[in-house]
Amino acid sequence: MDEITYAPLTAENFGLESLDKFARRQHVKQCWRRVDGALVLRPVEYIEDWTPQERRDVAAQVLRAADGGGAAFGAFSGGEVAGFAALAGKRLGSRGQYADLTLFYVSQPLQGRGIGRALFGMACAAARDMGAERLYISAHSASEVMAAYRALGCVEAEEPDPRHAAEEPCDVQLEFRL
């Protein structure tokens, strides 16, 4: 297996085509849903996979985060993007206490190798440097995704962001105390 290297993402090492080979395929079988105020695991089956255009759109979002006062980090294996994380430049919360982790993905064949944990650590360090007290995550509700966030120490957000909740009503709003 190729060595994994990490670097801040910039226009010099990341472009619109950088995610063209990124494996964002996930066979979802169960998702967390809010029922009477509590999160309940429900059978919800579908396959999530990015189209070529969605890959380019996500790459553009990464570049906007890196250029717009936020931060973006990448993991590379064999010259390809193995994973990435991006923080938006705009803070969330009533006191601006949250840095917004807008993107956080590891390529499917490379999951389980600690890449996500390393990228999450880089995002946390950048959020601290931005003066944030917490990381905010509007997380996909799939059982595996939620298990990964919980393993990182994330909990339900004390102050859910209304925009995120409205844009992705099935997401679970999480936070991580820095």
Side-chain angles (χ1 to χ4, degrees):
M1 293 214 172
D2 289 325
E3 178 186 354
I4 305 296
T5 59
Y6 299 87
L9 296 178
T10 66
E12 285 75 44
N13 66 359
F14 188 90
L16 292 178
E17 71 291 339
S18 293
L19 299 179
D20 286 357
K21 296 180 183 176
F22 193 84
R24 172 58 184 113
R25 189 172 198 288
Q26 181 179 4
H27 184 175
V28 175
K29 295 181 182 176
Q30 294 181 309
C31 289
W32 290 95
R33 296 291 187 254
R34 195 157 301 279
V35 177
D36 297 327
L39 284 175
V40 178
L41 195 57
R42 295 282 193 216
V44 179
E45 189 164 355
Y46 62 96
I47 294 177
E48 184 154 336
D49 197 0
W50 287 341
T51 66
Q53 185 58 53
E54 286 171 322
R55 284 177 172 76
R56 296 283 173 105
D57 292 345
V58 170
Q61 290 175 39
V62 170
L63 290 168
R64 279 194 300 275
D67 250 4
F73 304 96
F76 297 89
S77 175
E80 299 293 334
V81 176
F84 58 96
L87 295 169
K90 183 180 177 195
R91 299 267 287 282
L92 304 175
S94 58
R95 300 177 288 102
Q97 69 269 31
Y98 291 112
D100 189 5
L101 182 67
T102 58
L103 298 165
F104 181 48
Y105 294 96
V106 175
S107 189
Q108 192 273 329
L110 297 170
Q111 292 174 0
R113 294 182 57 194
I115 296 168
R117 186 170 294 280
L119 289 168
F120 192 80
M122 295 171 82
C124 287
R128 279 186 208 95
D129 289 347
M130 296 170 149
E133 299 168 14
R134 301 170 188 205
L135 204 59
Y136 189 92
I137 305 115
S138 183
H140 193 293
S141 62
S143 61
E144 304 87 352
V145 173
M146 292 299 296
Y149 278 117
R150 287 187 177 124
L152 291 168
C154 298
V155 297
E156 284 191 65
E158 287 183 9
E159 194 177 310
D161 178 65
R163 183 182 58 82
H164 279 300
E167 286 178 6
E168 295 289 347
C170 290
D171 277 9
V172 178
Q173 307 306 307
L174 301 174
E175 69 177 46
F176 178 80
R177 292 179 188 204
L178 299 170

